[in-house]
Amino acid sequence: MIITHLSAECYPIAKVGGLADVLGALPKYQNELGATSQVVMPFYKNEYTQSHCFEAVYNDTILLGETDYDFRILTLKDHENDLGFKIFFVDVPELLYTDFVYTSDDTERFLAFQIAALDWIAQSETIPDVIHCHDHHTGLIPFMMQESFRYSMLRKVAVAFTIHNAQYQGWFSHDLVGLIPEFKFSHVGLLDWNHCINPMASAIKCAWVVTTVSPNYMDELELNANGLESLLSDEHAKCIGILNGIDTKVWNTETDPLIIENYTQDTIYEGKFKNKQWLCNKFNLDVERPLIAFIGRLVEQKGADLFPKIFSESLFGNDISILLLGSGEKHTENDLINLKEKFPDKYNAYIGYDEKLSHIIYAGADFLLMPSRVEPCGLNQMYALRYGTIPIVNSVGGLKDTVEDLYDGGFGICHNGVTVSEVCEAIERATEFYDSEIFKQTRVEVMSIDHSWHASAESYLNVYNSLNPFL
């Protein structure tokens, strides 16, 4: 079975959110199960592309409106590829060769990516058995495969679409419909949702199967999908939630080269203490206090707009330390920076992103805070568990699928709803748990919870086979 994934992100090449982590792992694990899985993504100007060698395997020109754009399909030279899967890059220098992944208006950029990718796939000697599209940046591919005359040879190719985050749908005006390769205009309704062209809605209509990244999030989407609720309800029969996994070869406390001290379940006490000690020394925190950390985007979806109040109340009322790693909305960043002056020895924040620091935080923190209003799957809580760090989560989406509350015989701190009082109460529960006899035992046990990609990769292969039993 040949599977081609199309995505705007792929770890470690370009990462903004969890989408990159999925694309950096899923194809590798599918290949281990006997498939031939590969990724196609845009060619950005970033640290990865500047430090690796590529070769062109195809070049052509696409017409976007009245403008011709030359493009190439590049791939890593064999000795450069240690990803575990073949990867191809769509190089449209005038649109995609940028030092950023997304802007406020990416319509032409990602249309060029999708059209160039399909042009190349359509003329390839080996056509994939399955084309798997990820999020709205590839959401017009199912429509073009089904409706655009130039891709008629691809109409019998199975096409899957995964929703990683339904809040972002890629909307644009019908005035730009002429940018899409010619199709029978009476079928334009397959592009439309709520009086605009909506790539995510179109993909839901046209894909053979629609998946999302946790079973609970799929259920929630029929109630809250930023305007797509009725469409997802109508298409319910072809929708399925498959829980993401994590790459346990990368996220392994015994071998992780980024953490200060490696450890196993048998040496967790010493190992976590060394990592915690390093963090506390670097950020002027007391190593004897429970350390609660947050890693992620400082946006409303993650509950970050409430952090200044939550942190103030929790730090004032509890003998804890809080460490934050993230970036996002500027006013939230500023409020969180200013909070350092109020709690100089109990709180600190690193505004930005640092991969090494994130690993050390997972290894050194006692608790990981995730009060997300929306969390399609969430990978951070799985990384935390793998590193013996107890998650504090709002029970939504994939957080509900992966974290069971202590009160129910589980191993995490769960709350229902995102208010200052609810999150502060959860932090207080965590503080009490830290002082209990079972805390040490629990963090040893959670390290063995299996959230690897093996089961998820096999589930995807089963879905593909259900589309075409002859694969």
Side-chain angles (χ1 to χ4, degrees), residues 38-147:
Q38 58 195 21
V39 172
V40 182
M41 68 174 293
F43 190 68
Y44 303 114
K45 183 182 181 181
N46 60 21
E47 182 179 347
Y48 188 95
T49 60
Q50 298 302 292
S51 60
H52 287 74
C53 297
F54 303 85
E55 58 187 357
V57 297
Y58 184 75
N59 61 81
D60 204 344
T61 301
I62 58 170
L63 178 64
L64 205 61
E66 298 180 353
T67 306
D68 285 318
Y69 293 99
D70 293 330
F71 76 91
R72 299 180 299 166
I73 303 296
L74 307 176
T75 191
L76 283 166
K77 291 190 174 180
D78 288 341
H79 70 280
E80 293 273 325
N81 191 342
D82 59 357
L83 300 173
F85 53 90
K86 193 82 169 175
I87 188 162
F88 298 92
F89 300 84
V90 176
D91 179 24
V92 187
E94 294 171 79
L95 296 175
L96 296 175
Y97 193 61
T98 57
D99 58 4
F100 49 83
V101 176
Y102 306 122
T103 68
S104 58
D105 183 9
D106 284 327
T107 299
E108 292 192 6
R109 293 180 67 232
F110 287 111
L111 256 175
F113 164 58
Q114 293 172 89
I115 293 168
L118 280 184
D119 280 3
W120 168 60
I121 291 170
Q123 63 75 46
S124 297
E125 290 184 7
T126 304
I127 301 293
D129 298 301
V130 179
I131 291 179
H132 192 151
C133 304
H134 296 266
D135 264 355
H136 74 83
H137 322 96
T138 60
L140 293 174
I141 285 175
F143 173 85
M144 290 191 289
M145 288 173 61
Q146 177 179 306
E147 301 294 337

Side-chain angles (χ1 to χ4, degrees), residues 323-342:
L323 177 61
L324 176 141
L325 168 62
S327 62
E329 296 169 353
K330 291 302 177 185
H331 67 278
T332 302
E333 289 183 359
N334 292 335
D335 289 345
L336 290 168
I337 290 170
N338 293 335
L339 203 59
K340 293 181 186 182
E341 298 177 6
K342 189 176 179 181

Side-chain angles (χ1 to χ4, degrees), residues 151-354:
Y151 305 127
S152 59
M153 73 292 294
L154 299 178
R155 285 177 186 163
K156 293 184 179 180
V157 176
V159 58
F161 179 70
T162 295
I163 301 169
H164 294 264
N165 191 335
Q167 299 304 302
Y168 306 100
Q169 300 171 13
W171 314 267
F172 60 92
S173 168
H174 275 278
D175 295 342
L176 299 178
V177 71
L179 300 178
I180 299 171
E182 187 179 1
F183 60 92
K184 191 173 181 179
F185 195 72
S186 61
H187 293 179
V188 73
L190 292 171
L191 294 168
D192 180 84
W193 191 256
N194 207 14
H195 309 297
C196 67
I197 293 176
N198 185 318
M200 182 168 285
S202 178
I204 293 168
K205 295 175 186 179
C206 297
W208 293 24
V209 66
V210 176
T211 73
T212 193
V213 290
S214 71
N216 192 62
Y217 185 58
M218 181 59 80
D219 294 337
E220 291 175 356
L221 285 176
E222 293 190 19
L223 302 174
N224 181 13
N226 202 10
L228 298 179
E229 297 85 2
S230 63
L231 175 60
L232 285 159
S233 181
D234 289 343
E235 300 287 356
H236 178 82
K238 67 176 182 182
C239 295
I240 183 172
I242 298 175
L243 187 68
N244 280 344
I246 61 173
D247 190 339
T248 53
K249 297 181 179 70
V250 173
W251 296 95
N252 185 340
T253 59
E254 193 169 359
T255 58
D256 189 341
L258 300 181
I259 63 178
I260 302 304
E261 180 85 7
N262 293 109
Y263 57 95
T264 65
Q265 286 177 291
D266 292 332
T267 59
I268 183 174
Y269 179 77
E270 299 86 354
K272 283 191 73 67
F273 182 78
K274 289 283 182 64
N275 285 279
K276 182 178 182 180
Q277 191 173 47
W278 184 93
L279 289 169
C280 291
N281 289 338
K282 182 175 179 62
F283 292 101
N284 190 36
L285 303 171
D286 185 347
V287 74
E288 297 300 325
R289 295 190 184 113
L291 177 58
I292 297 171
F294 172 84
I295 300 172
R297 290 181 294 125
L298 301 176
V299 295
E300 185 178 0
Q301 178 183 328
K302 302 293 184 181
D305 55 306
L306 300 181
F307 281 179
K309 290 184 178 180
I310 290 169
F311 292 172
S312 292
E313 290 194 18
S314 293
L315 289 164
F316 182 78
N318 298 281
D319 190 26
I320 61 172
S321 297
I322 293 177
L323 177 61
L324 176 141
L325 168 62
S327 62
E329 296 169 353
K330 291 302 177 185
H331 67 278
T332 302
E333 289 183 359
N334 292 335
D335 289 345
L336 290 168
I337 290 170
N338 293 335
L339 203 59
K340 293 181 186 182
E341 298 177 6
K342 189 176 179 181
F343 301 99
D345 62 343
K346 296 180 70 176
Y347 165 79
N348 214 325
Y350 181 105
I351 302 300
Y353 186 73
D354 184 301

Side-chain angles (χ1 to χ4, degrees), residues 3 37 170 187 304:
I3 307 137
S37 187
H187 293 179

Side-chain angles (χ1 to χ4, degrees), residues 319-433:
D319 190 26
I320 61 172
S321 297
I322 293 177
L323 177 61
L324 176 141
L325 168 62
S327 62
E329 296 169 353
K330 291 302 177 185
H331 67 278
T332 302
E333 289 183 359
N334 292 335
D335 289 345
L336 290 168
I337 290 170
N338 293 335
L339 203 59
K340 293 181 186 182
E341 298 177 6
K342 189 176 179 181
F343 301 99
D345 62 343
K346 296 180 70 176
Y347 165 79
N348 214 325
Y350 181 105
I351 302 300
Y353 186 73
D354 184 301
E355 184 73 15
K356 178 179 176 66
L357 179 57
S358 74
H359 282 241
I360 300 171
I361 292 174
Y362 287 119
D366 297 301
F367 300 93
L368 185 78
L369 185 65
M370 293 185 71
S372 303
R373 291 183 173 92
V374 178
E375 195 62 70
C377 177
L379 297 174
N380 291 14
Q381 80 278 15
M382 299 186 204
Y383 301 149
L385 292 167
R386 178 84 168 151
Y387 281 56
T389 298
I390 305 300
I392 306 170
V393 306
N394 183 33
S395 292
V396 295
L399 300 176
K400 187 174 181 179
D401 286 319
T402 54
V403 181
E404 298 178 46
D405 191 85
L406 286 165
Y407 285 163
D408 298 320
F411 44 81
I413 310 291
C414 301
H415 55 93
N416 295 295
V418 183
T419 65
V420 173
S421 61
E422 284 167 325
V423 180
C424 286
E425 183 180 337
I427 290 173
E428 189 170 337
R429 283 183 61 205
T431 306
E432 294 169 357
F433 180 48

